Amino acid sequence: MKNTISRMLFLAGSFGVYAYGSQLILNGGFETGTLADWSVATEAGSRAGSGFFVTNSTTTPLTGLTTVGAMTGSYYAVSDSTGSAASVLYQGFMVPGGPGSVVLSYSLFVNSGGSGTPTPAEICPTPGLDYNCIPSQFGIVSLISGSTNLFSTTTGDLTNFYEGVGTANNPNPYTNYSFNITSLVSGGGTYYVRIGEVNNVDTLNLGVDNVSVVYTSTVVPEPGSAMLAVGGFVGIAIVLRRRQAKA
């Protein structure tokens, strides 16, 4: 009984602040088996058929190269092309206003070239995802402010979280990434996660799974609501004490 009363009083004292988390990305694990809630764009003139695909296989859909498959579950998204191309996979999300934190996380692998030793990253001097700029061979993960300049790495590009290729022998394992992006989205509004790749040196397969953006809101209740809750907890504690005394 004393423990119960203590918990009630603790709740009464700590009720002033509470937090809750909301997932802002839909189908981040691709377990629908489709690209539902995601969009894919391919730079004009890229090799026909290039893009991102959802699969549960350990071979890529166009080139048939080996991958590690899904990080968790059955499905993951992977880029593939039989020639020079630039492709992006992206999804918009809305950040509410008010106090809180926002964390982006994802699991990623990049296989550059075929089996064995990877083809090194090549980042063209001209910024952007453009297969016409030679040499260009890299994957990228970014936070962008709009969906009108999907292949730009300057206009509307808030920050790049990843830029490069895998360094181990293909197929590369997943690496898990997590970033607190609160300072970048503190004004609220709509932002986009962009996962992209460009290749004109060799094949490149970028695989992604478990994409997540979690918004955790810290709420401070109005004084009247907080006092009402505190009063309720205290009242329950008093009743429990009286019952205990009678017993």
Side-chain angles (χ1 to χ4, degrees):
M1 182 63 73
K2 288 183 179 179
N3 288 338
T4 301
I5 293 171
S6 297
R7 292 190 188 105
M8 290 289 185
L9 293 175
F10 173 78
L11 286 171
S14 62
F15 188 78
V17 177
Y18 61 92
Y20 62 92
S22 300
Q23 177 60 252
L24 305 183
I25 291 291
L26 301 175
N27 193 29
F30 307 99
E31 290 304 305
T32 62
T34 70
L35 285 169
D37 301 303
W38 291 90
S39 298
V40 175
T42 302
E43 185 183 22
S46 294
R47 179 64 63 92
S50 302
F52 277 84
F53 308 85
V54 170
T55 180
N56 60 356
S57 174
T58 54
T59 57
T60 56
L62 301 180
T63 54
L65 295 172
T66 301
T67 76
V68 292
M71 176 66 181
T72 59
S74 300
Y75 293 91
Y76 66 108
V78 65
S79 67
D80 205 8
S81 172
T82 57
S84 298
S87 302
V88 297
L89 173 69
Y90 64 101
Q91 184 177 150
F93 60 94
M94 174 72 73
V95 178
S101 65
V102 186
V103 174
L104 164 69
S105 60
Y106 56 90
S107 302
L108 182 83
F109 71 76
V110 184
N111 296 334
S112 180
S115 301
T117 305
T119 301
E122 298 282 359
I123 299 175
C124 187
T126 302
L129 294 165
D130 183 5
Y131 78 90
N132 294 294
C133 186
I134 299 173
S136 292
Q137 181 88 1
F138 63 92
I140 193 168
V141 180
S142 314
L143 178 70
I144 60 177
S145 59
S147 59
T148 56
N149 295 287
L150 292 170
F151 297 94
S152 172
T153 54
T154 53
T155 304
D157 197 335
L158 299 178
T159 192
N160 295 326
F161 301 104
Y162 176 90
E163 189 173 45
V165 299
T167 55
N169 283 349
N170 298 322
N172 277 281
Y174 280 95
T175 300
N176 297 319
Y177 297 89
S178 181
F179 304 91
N180 189 317
I181 61 172
T182 305
S183 62
L184 297 171
V185 299
S186 58
T190 300
Y191 301 87
Y192 294 81
V193 173
R194 177 188 63 192
I195 302 159
E197 64 96 346
V198 57
N199 64 285
N200 57 24
V201 178
D202 205 336
T203 59
L204 190 146
N205 304 119
L206 183 154
V208 65
D209 204 353
N210 300 331
V211 184
S212 170
V213 176
V214 174
Y215 170 74
T216 302
S217 174
T218 303
V219 180
V220 179
E222 293 293 326
S225 299
M227 289 304 296
L228 181 62
V230 170
F233 284 124
V234 172
I236 293 171
I238 291 172
V239 171
L240 290 174
R241 278 179 182 264
R242 286 177 178 173
R243 289 181 178 177
Q244 183 183 21
K246 288 180 181 180

